[in-house]
Amino acid sequence: RTLDDQPPGVLVLGDGALIDEGNLRRVLEGTRLVRLDLDLANCYWRLRSRVGTGLWHPVMRGPLAGIDDLRPFFAARDPGFSRSHHSVQWDGRSYREVAREVLGLLEN
């Protein structure tokens, strides 16, 4: 429904949304898909920093035992990620820097 709403804008999806082929096809048909690349180690440590907050990644049903817990999820999302129109590196960058780059891609 969000993709059908007007005016068009930026829609932020979680990684798991693109695992479903129907979701991926719908996004690719009507938008320019920009993926934010965060390597496995950085993703692991960001999620680990949530320990004690009660917040976990929706795909992960509980605390991570180790970095290997993320490998199946990364493998499942990679086919959708590889079909993105654009890629923005997130490692070591602020949210503001990443947002500027994404908006620049969408303006062109």
Side-chain angles (χ1 to χ4, degrees), residues 2-16:
T2 301
L3 291 174
D4 293 331
D5 288 346
Q6 296 296 325
V10 174
L11 173 64
V12 178
L13 301 172
D15 296 2

Side-chain angles (χ1 to χ4, degrees), residues 45-76:
W45 286 110
R46 283 181 188 230
L47 290 172
R48 287 288 300 170
S49 72
R50 294 180 174 189
V51 171
T53 65
L55 298 173
W56 297 102
H57 194 284
V59 175
M60 309 308 296
R61 298 296 177 219
L64 299 170
I67 199 167
D68 287 335
D69 288 353
L70 287 177
R71 291 185 195 285
F73 175 66
F74 267 60

